[in-house]
Amino acid sequence: MTAPTPPPRAEQPPLTVRYFAGARAAAGRTEETASAGRRLDELVVELTERHGERLAAVLKVASFLVDGVTCHDRRAPLPAGATIDVLPPFAGG
């Protein structure tokens, strides 16, 4: 008798990455998706590979919100389906 085949693993919903101000200009878009199952530092590497050094410079100094909450730990796992807001430093306020 053979063991039953486990059901296929459900795919995790993707991350939504939203860009604001200078990050939007550097990425050339307002929003995009990325695959789930990663940490913020891994996502930053992927976004740099997609968009180049101009965005990389912004990401180095940006703040990140994960589902509306400031993320200080770039090594923490990102929840599947999360919305990541990329906020570059803002002048004047």
Side-chain angles (χ1 to χ4, degrees):
M1 184 175 217
T2 60
T5 304
R9 193 172 136 191
E11 233 179 271
Q12 295 180 344
L15 303 171
T16 300
V17 181
R18 300 188 306 185
Y19 299 104
F20 294 87
R24 178 181 299 159
R29 63 189 64 219
T30 58
E31 185 174 294
E32 66 184 314
T33 60
S35 57
R38 63 188 58 231
R39 301 179 315 225
L40 184 57
D41 57 357
E42 295 168 330
L43 177 62
V44 166
V45 169
E46 179 183 329
L47 298 176
T48 296
E49 290 171 353
R50 283 187 195 179
H51 300 290
E53 288 304 312
R54 186 171 174 211
L55 182 60
V58 174
L59 295 174
K60 286 179 185 174
V61 296
S63 297
F64 297 90
L65 301 180
V66 177
D67 288 335
V69 178
T70 302
C71 180
H72 296 290
D73 182 3
R74 291 186 179 211
R75 301 200 72 200
L78 295 169
T83 297
I84 314 302
D85 293 329
V86 181
L87 306 170
F90 294 97

